[in-house]
């Protein structure tokens, strides 16, 4: 008898793609696709179960279909179907708790794969140049999806201790991009003008959605990954891109904003529904984040087909032409940098002149000026 794989978050584009690919995998007898809403895409013959993983009914789904492999994709930062941030948090945290409780009670479950994020490392000014899987963050995320991911991983580690017979894999994905990727950073890069934090040009990493599916298929297959698939792994494309380089590739003008005003702008963008410019994303676009993928390559044996730059280029092609041609955008950014540098220099000179004018030797203390005048008359 072949494997029976259950996939949560099947109504999302990425979850639907994984379901369709699993249907074509040799050795997979049945794929059970689970979500709280009906998917708007085909599932190619998978068994769809409309169920809310926040409720205990998910345990009956596992038992009824005798599921042996669970791929938990429903850990996300974006709402689906007009949901709120509160509903997303409940699905991420409460849903994971219920799912793990159901897996713990099911003797048939042998493998658990959890989609996580490199956002668990946070973004802070004193961060190391590169995070490894064992590097503790300088400051834990205080809210948003990043905090959800930290809590989810904590519950997963507890489950792994209670069920040592289950192979548990946690995949920490860098920012996922691609032609159909639905992520907060993808929404940000789709804005006609990109607000940036003045004075900062963070380093960013991306992973292509095709590589996300590829590594999930590898880890979910016991025969291919074996015991190597157990553990926590960073997943990202090779190389890094600066935010300014991303803007040039998109042909999108940037709007540098002073850091105190960025929070206000983020609130305004969230209110208009243009993008979820959350505080954690603001910190990422200020300090950046880079992770090591040595364990992904050496232990897991997975090599992404796309580099960070290639993943971003695929996203840019799917998005279409920007407001400004890339070369013109690059020239504009260069000229803006020169102008900003000159303005800063001029401001510094003016401040120095004002300070000199107010100094006592120029007579502002009521004595120096008269003495100088007397000396000149003599």
């Amino acid at each position: 008898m072949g494997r029976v794989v259950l996939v949560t978050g099947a109504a999302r584009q990425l979850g639907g793609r994984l379901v369709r690919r699993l249907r074509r995998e040799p050795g997979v007898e049945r794929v059970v696709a689970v979500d709280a809403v009906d998917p708007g895409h085909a599932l190619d013959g998978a068994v769809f179960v409309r169920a809310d993983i926040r409720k205990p009914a998910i345990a009956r789904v596992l038992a009824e279909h005798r599921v042996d492999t669970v791929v938990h994709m429903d850990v996300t930062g974006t709402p689906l179907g007009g949901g709120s941030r509160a509903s997303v948090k409940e699905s991420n945290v409460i849903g994971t708790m219920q799912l793990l409780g159901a897996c713990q009670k099911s003797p048939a479950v042998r493998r658990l794969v959890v989609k996580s994020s490199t956002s668990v490392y946070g973004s802070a000014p004193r961060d190391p140049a590169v995070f490894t899987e064992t590097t503790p963050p300088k400051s834990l995320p205080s809210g948003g999806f990043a905090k959800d991911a930290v809590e989810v991983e904590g519950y997963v580690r507890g489950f792994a201790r209670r069920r040592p017979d289950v192979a548990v894999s946690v995949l920490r994905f860098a920012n996922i991009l691609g032609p159909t990727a639905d992520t907060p950073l993808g929404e940000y890069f789709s804005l006609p003008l990109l607000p940036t934090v003045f004075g900062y040009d963070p380093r960013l990493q991306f992973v292509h959605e095709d590589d996300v599916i590829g590594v999930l298929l590898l880890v979910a297959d016991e025969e291919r990954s074996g015991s190597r698939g157990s553990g926590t792994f960073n997943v990202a494309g090779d190389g890094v891109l600066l935010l300014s380089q991303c803007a040039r590739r998109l042909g999108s003008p940037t709007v540098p904003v002073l850091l105190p005003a960025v929070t206000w702008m983020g609130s305004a963008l969230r209110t208009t529904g243009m993008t979820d410019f959350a505080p954690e994303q603001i910190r990422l676009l200020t300090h950046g984040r880079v992770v090591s993928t040595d364990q992904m390559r050496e232990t897991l044996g997975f090599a992404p087909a796309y580099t960070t730059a290639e993943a971003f280029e695929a996203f840019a092609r799917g998005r279409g032409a920007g407001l400004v041609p890339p070369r013109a955008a690059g020239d504009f950014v260069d000229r803006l940098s020169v102008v900003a540098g000159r303005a800063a220099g001029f401001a510094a000179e003016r401040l120095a002149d004002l300070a000199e004018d107010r100094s006592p030797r120029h007579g502002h203390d009521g004595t120096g000026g008269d003495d100088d005048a007397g000396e000149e008359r003599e």
Side-chain angles (χ1 to χ4, degrees):
M1 186 171 106
R3 292 181 293 138
V4 179
V5 184
L6 181 142
V7 179
T8 65
R12 297 180 180 274
Q13 289 294 332
L14 204 58
R17 283 194 60 187
L18 180 63
V19 168
R20 292 190 293 272
R21 285 293 306 275
L22 283 167
R23 283 286 299 154
R24 301 196 298 268
E25 284 291 294
V28 175
E29 177 184 350
R30 188 184 320 126
V31 179
V32 182
V34 175
D35 212 312
V37 298
D38 293 330
H41 44 254
L43 297 177
D44 290 0
V47 178
F48 176 70
V49 178
R50 182 167 181 171
D52 190 337
I53 63 171
R54 294 174 294 181
K55 299 179 179 179
I58 189 64
R60 292 199 298 270
V61 178
L62 289 174
E64 179 182 346
H65 294 278
R66 294 192 57 80
V67 172
D68 55 70
T69 303
V70 175
V71 183
H72 186 26
M73 297 285 289
D74 204 6
V75 180
T76 180
T78 56
L80 186 65
S84 63
R85 166 61 199 154
S87 65
V88 172
K89 181 174 181 60
E90 286 184 5
S91 181
N92 288 340
V93 180
I94 306 301
T96 298
M97 291 175 62
Q98 287 286 1
L99 179 65
L100 294 177
C103 290
Q104 183 175 339
K105 296 175 183 177
S106 174
V109 172
R110 302 195 309 265
R111 201 164 198 86
L112 171 67
V113 181
V114 179
K115 170 183 168 287
S116 187
S117 168
T118 57
S119 63
V120 298
Y121 299 114
S123 293
R126 296 189 298 110
D127 280 346
V130 179
F131 283 101
T132 68
E133 287 83 352
T134 58
T135 305
K138 293 293 183 182
S139 60
L140 285 172
S142 58
F145 171 63
K147 185 178 181 182
D148 294 354
V150 170
E151 293 183 22
V152 164
E153 288 197 11
Y155 292 127
V156 172
R157 286 192 293 271
F159 169 81
R161 289 192 296 268
R162 294 189 297 271
R163 284 290 304 270
D165 58 309
V166 176
V168 178
S169 305
V170 176
L171 301 179
R172 292 174 176 167
F173 290 103
N175 299 286
I176 300 172
L177 287 182
T180 63
D182 178 20
T183 61
L185 200 62
E187 293 178 357
Y188 164 78
F189 282 125
S190 297
L191 294 172
L193 299 172
L194 300 181
T196 61
V197 182
F198 184 79
Y200 293 87
D201 196 9
R203 299 177 304 152
L204 303 173
Q205 276 179 313
F206 307 111
V207 58
H208 194 283
E209 55 188 340
D210 290 353
D211 287 324
V212 173
I213 299 299
V215 71
L216 286 167
L217 291 173
L218 170 65
V219 175
D221 190 338
E222 184 176 1
E223 293 184 3
R224 292 173 61 193
S225 61
S227 60
R228 295 181 294 112
S230 298
T232 300
F233 303 93
N234 295 328
V235 182
D238 288 345
V240 299
L241 280 177
L242 298 175
L243 181 56
S244 60
Q245 293 175 316
C246 296
R248 295 187 191 195
R249 283 164 167 77
L250 288 172
S252 298
T254 58
V255 183
V257 181
L258 293 175
L259 186 56
V262 174
T263 302
W264 174 86
M265 179 175 287
S267 300
L269 290 172
R270 285 197 300 274
T271 301
T272 59
M274 295 181 69
T275 181
D276 183 17
F277 207 59
E280 66 195 72
Q281 188 164 311
I282 294 174
R283 286 190 288 271
L284 174 66
L285 297 176
T286 304
H287 306 295
R289 182 170 54 244
V290 177
V291 300
S292 168
T293 56
D294 291 344
Q295 291 299 312
M296 174 194 73
R297 292 180 174 278
E298 298 171 5
T299 304
L300 195 56
F302 179 77
Y306 294 81
T307 65
T308 283
E310 290 168 346
F312 191 83
E313 288 169 4
F315 165 78
R317 287 194 301 270
R319 174 181 175 271
L323 291 177
V324 183
R327 179 173 295 180
D331 294 341
F332 173 77
V333 171
D334 291 339
R335 290 197 297 272
L336 183 62
S337 299
V338 172
V339 171
R342 290 175 179 173
F346 176 76
E349 291 177 2
R350 290 295 301 152
L351 289 173
D353 291 341
L354 288 172
E356 186 175 355
D357 291 342
R358 292 177 181 274
S359 63
R361 62 189 179 86
H362 282 81
H364 291 286
D365 61 350
T367 58
D370 294 338
D371 292 343
D372 292 343
E375 291 174 3
E376 290 176 0
R377 284 193 298 270
E378 292 175 358

